[in-house]
């Protein structure tokens, strides 16, 4: 592996591990192009990374408060790698959607003054004139001080798959860029229309929460748990996972597992019982209850055991409270998050896994998913 350093489109220095030859050209002739032979050289692999950086940085810049706040973006084309015509149109559409999200955020009282996007290329695979690039994006955005009590930053890690196709002259075109993460969109990822599936029935049934900003904020009363410990745990392990627990990123997502860990750190006790019975909640060295890792099962357990109650509005949440989302309103909850900061003006900020995210405001989530169902839990 060769370590290559280049400049990000928002000015950050990036380091990406790139493989010069990804697949061996077992039957390639001397006249055969590298793309046809199943290889790319280091320079081309670096160009893949720079293009990924340029596209993702441009998306981030579309959310910033003013054009003057964005550093100069890297070019979207190089001598040997560029966007295809179709992908260029797709990016224009994506940027328009992100500018709409920026305007929606502004109406909710949120803006970003600057951003830092770093892209690491994890793997390049080449076969029959097509290249697949796996990349990890790490982005931090600085909150604009509109109310004055916002946290300094929000951040996330997102994973992407980029598809490149070789042209007849041996160059490459980016033909596709998709997220490989479960969970809510990263704030700089344009939304796609949700596809509703068959509605499921969940008992006990959670009550959806309103998403409008209330005229009078609600203060969280003192409870029996250590809410500061919940927040501290989540903010410690949002990016670097606690090795004491198993990961479930490849098994439906790690979001509820992560929230369960934070709740346990704040005083939630195990409740023994059959692993498949939602009325139990536990984790041990070899297994765990479905309510520990499943969003719906967690909700059923929580309400049945009276560990939490539903709030009427997501803005009523305080530190240690939990929010769940049903992206397409099919009746099945898709994602679980925990509040780790609340501004003095009453805006909750959530931290979660899948996409690994730190202090994302509830306003920015609503701006990305205005038609989803939201459930707020007072722990």
């Amino acid at each position: 592996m060769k370590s290559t350093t280049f400049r990000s489109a928002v000015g950050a220095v990036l380091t990406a591990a790139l493989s010069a030859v990804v697949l061996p050209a077992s039957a390639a002739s001397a006249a055969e192009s590298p793309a046809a032979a199943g290889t790319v050289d280091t320079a081309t692999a670096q160009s893949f990374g720079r293009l990924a950086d340029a596209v993702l940085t441009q998306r981030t810049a579309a959310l910033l408060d003013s054009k003057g706040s964005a550093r100069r973006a890297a070019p979207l084309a190089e001598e040997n790698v560029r966007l295809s015509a179709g992908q260029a149109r797709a990016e224009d559409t994506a940027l328009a959607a992100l500018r709409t999200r920026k305007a929606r955020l502004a109406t909710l009282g949120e803006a970003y003054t600057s951003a830092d996007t770093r892209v690491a290329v994890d793997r390049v695979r080449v076969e029959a004139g097509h290249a697949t690039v796996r990349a990890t994006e790490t982005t931090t955005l600085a909150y604009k001080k509109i109310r004055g009590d916002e946290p300094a930053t929000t951040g996330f890690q997102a994973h992407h798959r980029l598809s490149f196709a070789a042209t007849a002259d041996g160059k490459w075109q980016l033909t596709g860029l998709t997220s490989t993460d479960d969970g809510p969109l990263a704030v700089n990822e344009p939304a796609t229309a949700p596809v509703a599936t068959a509605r499921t029935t969940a008992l006990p049934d959670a009550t959806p929460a309103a998403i409008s900003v209330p005229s009078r904020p609600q203060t969280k009363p003192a409870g029996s748990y250590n809410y500061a410990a919940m927040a501290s745990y989540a903010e410690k392990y949002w990016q670097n996972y606690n090795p004491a627990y198993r990961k479930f990123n490849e098994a439906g997502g790690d979001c509820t597992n992560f929230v369960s860990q934070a709740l346990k750190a704040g005083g939630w006790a195990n409740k023994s019982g059959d692993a498949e019975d939602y009325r139990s909640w536990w984790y041990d060295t070899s297994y765990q209850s479905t309510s520990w890792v499943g969003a719906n099962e967690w909700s059923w357990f929580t309400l049945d055991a009276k560990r939490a109650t539903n709030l009427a509005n997501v803005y009523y949440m305080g530190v240690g409270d939990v929010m769940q989302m049903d992206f397409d309103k099919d009746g099945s909850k898709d994602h679980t998050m925990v509040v780790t900061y609340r501004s003095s003006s009453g805006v909750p900020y959530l931290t979660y896994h899948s996409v690994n995210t730190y202090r994302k405001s509830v306003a920015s989530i609503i701006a990305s998913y205005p038609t989803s169902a939201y459930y707020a839990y007072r722990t």
Side-chain angles (χ1 to χ4, degrees), residues 352-365:
Y352 53 89
H353 280 181
S354 306
V355 176
N356 299 342
T357 296
Y358 170 80
R359 290 192 181 183
K360 186 172 185 178
S361 76
V362 72
S364 62
I365 296 173

Side-chain angles (χ1 to χ4, degrees), residues 106-266:
T107 66
L108 295 170
E110 182 166 312
Y112 310 114
T113 59
S114 61
D116 178 63
T117 293
R118 298 171 181 265
V119 176
V121 174
D122 305 317
R123 187 178 67 187
V124 181
R125 185 178 297 276
V126 183
E127 188 172 9
H130 295 273
T132 301
V133 177
R134 299 277 185 164
T136 298
E137 171 197 1
T138 302
T139 289
T140 302
L141 297 105
Y143 285 113
K144 183 177 181 179
K145 295 298 183 180
I146 296 174
R147 299 181 179 88
D149 57 3
E150 294 86 350
T153 62
T154 181
F156 64 86
Q157 277 191 331
H159 302 89
H160 304 279
R161 180 176 61 247
L162 296 93
S163 301
F164 291 85
T167 59
D169 57 0
K171 298 180 180 180
W172 294 91
Q173 291 186 340
L174 176 65
T175 58
L177 171 58
T178 58
S179 170
T180 60
D181 293 308
D182 296 318
L185 299 170
V187 70
N188 68 349
E189 182 184 345
T192 56
V195 178
T197 57
R199 183 176 178 84
T200 61
T201 301
L203 294 173
D205 204 12
T207 304
I211 59 175
S212 57
V213 180
S215 57
R216 297 179 62 184
Q218 185 183 92
T219 301
K220 182 174 182 175
S224 57
Y225 301 112
N226 187 337
Y227 303 117
M230 294 176 184
S232 178
Y233 180 95
E235 294 195 347
K236 179 178 180 179
Y237 293 111
W238 76 271
Q239 184 175 13
N240 300 312
Y241 288 33
N242 185 348
Y245 289 96
R246 293 180 289 277
K247 301 177 185 178
F248 294 87
N249 303 80
E250 306 301 324
D254 199 64
C255 61
T256 307
N257 173 48
F258 176 64
V259 169
S260 290
Q261 293 171 35
L263 294 171
K264 188 171 180 64

